[in-house]
Amino acid sequence: MADYDVIGLDYARLRRPDPRIAACLDGALGAARSVLNVGAGSGSYEPAGRAVTALEPSAEMIRQRASGAAPVVQGVAEELPFADDSFDAVMAVLTVHHWKDKARGMQEMRRVSRGPIVILTYDPAFRGFWLLDYFPELAALDAGQMPPLDDYQRWLGNVAITPVPVPHDCQDGFLAAYWRRPAAYLDPHVRSAISSFWKIGDLSSGLARLQDDLHSGAWAQKYHDLAHQDALDCGYRLVVAR
């Protein structure tokens, strides 16, 4: 069973594409007309006006795709069921950390793409997000599952890597989306669509400390500078190989 057959039960509603992040991805795809979306989930960030093919391992995620979404093939990144040079571009959004053989997946994306490979990922060396103060286990988890950014150069050749700031009102519900809305992390429904929380397991200690700090005002005092920021670098990176 794919992870998201369990994690993704309400994914389509909680993990909606944020238009500002979508614009970054769309710009990186350039003039590509045909695009393969690897690890496509329920269809977030599939660009309009292009011929998109989706690839997704989870039957649950495929079930949640809208009726008008791009055609989807069930499969995994490590064994793409497409001929060489089948697409103008390939994209992969917050999915690489779930792959069993990341190097093989990158090789496959390079094989089927005539042009750019566009990846939204996370820098496991990043330590600037306050949530780590409450859930320090996230650092070890990311170190174990997120490829170091140097790996992309090794796998794909020359790459451009740029930060993707997270808007304060981010419409997508990934891990750092609620950096200026800390009470959201206390909601089990919100957490249910964030795979990192599933993988950590017992969250009770961190949740209790966060709840106490929100109630006492300690969180607001410590992170008061966040209140006036419209976007924040939380470690997300756009990796583009031409």
Side-chain angles (χ1 to χ4, degrees):
M1 179 182 291
D3 287 347
Y4 278 82
D5 286 344
V6 177
I7 297 171
L9 295 180
D10 199 16
Y11 205 78
R13 191 175 70 83
L14 293 169
R15 298 297 298 272
R16 296 170 297 150
D18 184 273
R20 293 148 293 191
I21 297 174
C24 292
L25 292 162
D26 195 55
L29 289 169
R33 296 181 59 83
S34 61
V35 178
L36 175 65
N37 185 19
V38 178
S42 59
S44 291
Y45 300 108
E46 291 177 357
R50 305 179 196 258
V52 177
T53 300
L55 181 119
E56 169 58 40
S58 165
E60 172 60 30
M61 299 303 290
I62 291 173
R63 185 189 66 79
Q64 292 186 40
R65 293 177 65 83
S67 58
V72 60
V73 176
Q74 188 167 18
V76 296
E78 296 89 341
E79 297 179 18
L80 296 178
F82 307 104
D84 295 0
D85 299 328
S86 292
F87 303 94
D88 293 334
V90 178
M91 60 186 289
V93 178
L94 298 178
T95 179
V96 173
H97 54 291
H98 296 299
W99 300 357
K100 290 182 172 61
D101 186 339
K102 298 172 179 61
R104 175 65 178 170
M106 296 294 159
Q107 183 181 45
E108 280 289 273
M109 289 200 299
R110 181 75 285 169
R111 179 181 66 79
V112 303
S113 179
R114 295 187 290 268
I117 296 172
V118 177
I119 300 168
L120 181 61
T121 187
Y122 182 82
D123 180 1
F126 188 83
R127 293 292 183 269
F129 182 29
W130 64 260
L131 198 63
L132 291 170
D133 294 345
Y134 295 91
F135 304 99
E137 306 95 326
L138 288 170
L141 177 66
D142 288 337
Q145 69 177 1
M146 294 284 185
L149 295 183
D150 288 347
D151 281 354
Y152 292 98
Q153 183 92 18
R154 180 164 56 85
W155 291 328
L156 298 172
N158 188 39
V159 295
I161 300 177
T162 55
V164 179
V166 180
H168 74 92
D169 56 350
C170 186
Q171 296 178 26
D172 197 346
F174 53 79
L175 180 66
Y178 307 98
W179 61 266
R180 218 178 81 174
R181 298 167 286 173
Y185 293 108
L186 301 178
D187 184 342
H189 192 53
V190 167
R191 297 196 306 273
S192 70
I194 299 175
S195 64
S196 296
F197 286 136
W198 284 80
K199 292 180 178 181
I200 287 175
D202 183 9
L203 305 172
S204 56
S205 176
L207 290 173
R209 288 190 293 111
L210 178 57
Q211 185 171 32
D212 288 347
D213 285 357
L214 289 174
H215 181 73
S216 69
W219 186 94
Q221 182 177 11
K222 184 173 183 180
Y223 303 108
H224 63 89
D225 59 315
L226 298 181
H228 304 292
Q229 296 191 41
D230 290 330
L232 187 70
D233 181 2
C234 295
Y236 295 88
R237 299 291 182 263
L238 187 67
V239 179
V240 181
R242 298 292 177 185

